[in-house]
Amino acid sequence: GAGVSQSPSNKVTEKGKDVELRCDPISGHTALYWYRQRLGQGLEFLIYFQGNSAPDKSGLPSDRFSAERTGESVSTLTIQRTQQEDSAVYLCASSLVSRQGNQPQHFGDGTRLSIL
Amino acid sequence: AQTVTQSQPEMSVQEAETVTLSCTYDTSESDYYLFWYKQPPSRQMILVIRQEAYKQQNATENRFSVNFQKAAKSFSLKISDSQLGDAAMYFCAYRETSGSRLTFGEGTQLTVNP
């Protein structure tokens, strides 16, 4: 009965380095989402996975951001050549999929990324 | 594009009292979903309550209820008998029935005073 798991919980890295953030969704959830939350702000949508494919990646802010998902399980969000404006909490969510689209999204605790 | 606005950056309430958090949204869709999420310092987003736009009846979950005014595009959250554990950031969110993403407001920081 585990929830959405994200790792690492916190990540501090130097500007220009690459980082990988991991998300383990709830078992059986075919939909997976990544959001970014800057300090004191609401969540911004980044990308949505349905199974292995990403039908909506319109929220990715630049080509330095990419994400992949293996099977209907783990997803990795990669940020290349990190910049200070990438500092934020990155939240992952997963959900079941229904025709009505009314399944709630369940969130992980997020990864706090700090770029020095 | 859909937008969600929370006009109250901060609110406070005395323990056991009632507080209402405001949310308005903009959409051209007739069918959609609205949510309130709670985010304590632990960062995890916790679903508090949700409302389907096609339902006229306001959703209720124990001490939490909404006032959904579709014509006014308003979706406020009422917390009754406030408890210390209700202190958190509260986010209003919108989702199209055919869509995937949630669109969030900027949040309201709720303080509960003993």
Side-chain angles (χ1 to χ4, degrees):
Chain A
V4 177
S5 177
Q6 292 188 246
S7 61
S9 179
N10 292 282
K11 176 73 175 178
V12 180
T13 192
E14 294 179 347
K15 176 182 172 182
K17 300 287 188 182
D18 297 352
V19 295
E20 282 191 355
L21 312 180
R22 177 187 169 104
C23 173
D24 277 281
I26 293 172
S27 178
H29 282 192
T30 56
L32 186 148
Y33 315 80
W34 284 98
Y35 294 87
R36 177 172 71 179
Q37 185 178 25
R38 290 195 164 118
L39 184 65
Q41 298 185 17
L43 280 70
E44 304 170 77
F45 169 80
L46 296 178
I47 187 169
Y48 157 60
F49 284 94
Q50 173 56 38
N52 291 345
S53 65
D56 187 355
K57 55 179 80 172
S58 62
L60 294 177
S62 76
D63 60 6
R64 296 187 295 105
F65 287 72
S66 63
E68 63 178 22
R69 188 180 185 192
T70 53
E72 291 187 348
S73 184
V74 173
S75 175
T76 302
L77 176 68
T78 301
I79 308 173
Q80 295 178 309
R81 305 180 303 281
T82 51
Q83 304 292 314
Q84 287 188 332
E85 64 261 27
D86 299 334
S87 295
V89 174
Y90 289 82
L91 288 152
C92 176
S94 70
S95 75
L96 296 168
V97 175
S98 70
R99 189 170 298 176
Q100 296 82 7
N102 61 351
Q103 295 296 327
Q105 296 182 16
H106 300 267
F107 285 80
D109 289 345
T111 294
R112 182 180 299 281
L113 177 63
S114 300
I115 309 300
L116 301 178
Chain B
Q2 290 79 17
T3 58
V4 178
T5 302
Q6 293 179 249
S7 59
Q8 306 155 314
E10 299 177 346
M11 290 284 285
S12 63
V13 63
Q14 291 297 124
E15 196 175 2
E17 297 294 310
T18 296
V19 65
T20 298
L21 308 183
S22 301
C23 173
T24 59
Y25 58 94
D26 185 26
T27 183
S28 58
E29 302 292 322
S30 60
D31 205 7
Y32 46 86
Y33 299 99
L34 296 165
F35 304 85
W36 278 97
Y37 278 89
K38 169 185 176 181
Q39 187 180 43
S42 66
R43 296 201 303 251
Q44 187 177 33
M45 298 286 283
I46 302 166
L47 178 65
V48 174
I49 198 166
R50 64 177 171 176
Q51 174 82 42
E52 291 91 344
Y54 64 86
K55 289 187 177 179
Q56 292 185 338
Q57 186 174 6
N58 289 323
T60 299
E61 289 287 343
N62 300 314
R63 298 183 295 106
F64 299 86
S65 61
V66 299
N67 183 5
F68 174 48
Q69 301 290 328
K70 190 172 184 179
K73 296 180 181 175
S74 170
F75 182 61
S76 61
L77 174 70
K78 186 172 81 170
I79 306 174
S80 303
D81 186 24
S82 298
Q83 300 176 0
L84 295 177
D86 295 334
M89 183 73 88
Y90 285 81
F91 290 97
C92 178
Y94 166 98
R95 182 182 188 183
E96 292 180 5
T97 54
S98 59
S100 58
R101 68 173 68 185
L102 288 167
T103 300
F104 287 86
E106 294 293 304
T108 296
Q109 181 68 51
L110 178 66
T111 300
V112 181
N113 300 310

